[in-house]
Amino acid sequence: MTGSILGTTKVVGLIGNPVEHSLSPVIHNAAFRHLQLDYVYVPFPVHPDGLARAVRGLFQAGIAGLNVTVPYKERVLDCLDRVDHYAQVLGAVNTIVKEDGQLVGYNTDGPGFIRSLQAEGVDVRGKTVLVIGAGGAARAVAFALGQAGVREITFVNRTVERAQNLKREIDDIVQVEVLPLTPETLQKSLQSCQIVINTTTVGMYPHTDNTPVPGQLLQPRLTVVDLIYNPLETRLLRAAKRAGCNTVSGLGMLVYQGAASFELWTGKTAPVGVMTDAALAKLNR
Ligand code: NAP
């Protein structure tokens, strides 16, 4: 955003429900200001009955691109003309672009996750990865890990059936094991993995005293990733640091998925440092 909204200003935005707490407006508007691009990013709380009308209407009104968040990432596929291969396989779209008059869906969550690990010097190729959780974030992360060449994924989840469904979806691209979430299964799988990723909501604000992994199970050879970014340092990451593990917070995934959307809409390289600083300033406020 250049400072004022003009007749020429391009609008991009976020559809979801709720959208009030999203950091995406802060991240994208900081990037637009930094690059002096005549764009503005606006959140739209869309009513569940009006999703298709909202998507079509926003593009008919000239919007230049959209992000999609909970609870519409799956449902929105029915509102689009085309969906890129990765988003189609995943069955979830978080970014919409108008290309040659057609609404095209992409998913930048998985690539954003892998870019955030690369930025921290974490190479997943050939590794055994423990994924705690089997929800939407776990799906995006697991598909991306499979494509990035991990050796094996173990899912531990409170609801085992959900993890088994996920296994069926991805076991043609990567070897998968499924276990219930118990201290015993965590202990066993932590012994054989190199990277552990929390994709559950356990430890997220306001329940910051919770952790999905008892701290005494963590060993210094592990890389511990928490997708949660509020708080920036979860109880899990604090314990992992104390145990001498390499740690990665969810902020990187948030910023890099946004950076990939930004690049799809503007064709410009996203100022990742500026976007990270903007998110940090908002989170620390
Ligand atoms: P979701 O689809 O609702 O999945 C939630 C997961 O957490 C499920 O596996 C669920 O287990 C588990 N869970 C919830 N409460 C639990 C508890 N008390 N004990 C054990 N397991 C529990 O949510 P999501 O969209 O995947 O999001 C998950 C987390 O990832 C959130 O914290 C979100 O902020 C974060 N996230 C971060 C980014 C980023 O950019 N950094 C992006 C996406 C998501 P059941 O299957 O048994 O219910």
Side-chain angles (χ1 to χ4, degrees):
M1 197 166 57
T2 50
S4 52
I5 293 174
L6 307 167
T8 51
T9 303
K10 292 197 170 83
V11 181
V12 291
L14 170 69
I15 53 169
N17 203 331
V19 291
E20 288 78 5
H21 299 292
S22 171
L23 285 176
S24 294
V26 170
I27 292 174
H28 286 283
N29 286 321
F32 294 143
R33 267 194 305 274
H34 178 76
L35 294 182
Q36 299 193 328
L37 296 179
D38 188 13
Y39 278 75
V40 64
Y41 186 105
V42 186
F44 299 101
V46 170
H47 190 278
D49 293 341
L51 177 63
R53 281 196 306 276
V55 171
R56 290 279 158 192
L58 283 165
F59 278 96
Q60 275 162 9
I63 204 160
L66 280 175
N67 275 146
V68 185
T69 189
V70 178
Y72 301 134
K73 286 185 180 185
E74 292 85 19
R75 270 184 59 198
V76 82
L77 268 78
D78 294 337
C79 311
L80 305 176
D81 300 311
R82 209 151 45 81
V83 177
D84 109 305
H85 176 70
Y86 174 68
Q88 187 78 60
V89 171
L90 206 57
V93 159
N94 79 333
T95 305
I96 307 174
V97 185
K98 199 166 190 177
E99 290 173 358
D100 301 325
Q102 292 202 311
L103 300 189
V104 186
Y106 293 89
N107 193 305
T108 66
D109 284 333
F113 172 70
I114 297 295
R115 272 177 78 181
S116 77
L117 292 185
Q118 286 165 346
E120 296 291 331
V122 178
D123 184 0
V124 300
R125 274 172 304 174
K127 302 279 170 38
T128 297
V129 182
L130 170 61
V131 174
I132 307 170
R139 289 186 79 232
V141 159
F143 272 94
L145 289 170
Q147 287 188 331
V150 298
R151 197 176 74 83
E152 185 179 347
I153 298 176
T154 302
F155 289 110
V156 296
N157 197 42
R158 183 177 61 176
T159 311
V160 179
E161 299 75 40
R162 207 171 176 192
Q164 274 160 347
N165 289 341
L166 190 44
K167 172 182 157 86
R168 273 192 287 280
E169 288 182 61
I170 68 162
D171 65 2
D172 55 338
I173 60 168
V174 61
Q175 196 179 322
V176 179
E177 189 184 7
V178 168
L179 294 167
L181 176 57
T182 68
E184 295 73 31
T185 56
L186 281 174
Q187 182 167 23
K188 174 178 172 273
S189 31
L190 281 166
Q191 277 161 6
S192 55
C193 76
Q194 292 90 46
I195 301 173
V196 49
I197 305 169
N198 175 39
T199 73
T200 74
T201 49
V202 180
M204 190 165 81
Y205 180 85
H207 305 292
T208 53
D209 283 341
N210 295 344
T211 177
V213 183
Q216 68 271 20
L217 297 182
L218 298 168
Q219 301 140 28
R221 57 177 187 76
L222 291 168
T223 290
V224 179
V225 184
D226 201 330
L227 295 198
I228 293 171
Y229 51 82
N230 188 12
L232 273 174
E233 190 171 80
T234 55
R235 183 169 170 195
L236 170 63
L237 290 189
R238 261 200 317 282
K241 269 187 191 160
R242 267 202 305 276
C245 307
N246 182 27
T247 61
V248 181
S249 87
L251 182 67
M253 176 173 173
L254 177 76
V255 168
Y256 279 101
Q257 61 79 26
S261 300
F262 180 98
E263 288 168 4
L264 282 168
W265 297 325
T266 66
K268 308 246 184 259
T269 303
V272 169
V274 169
M275 296 167 98
T276 305
D277 290 347
L280 279 172
K282 178 75 177 163
L283 285 168
N284 288 329
R285 203 173 297 154

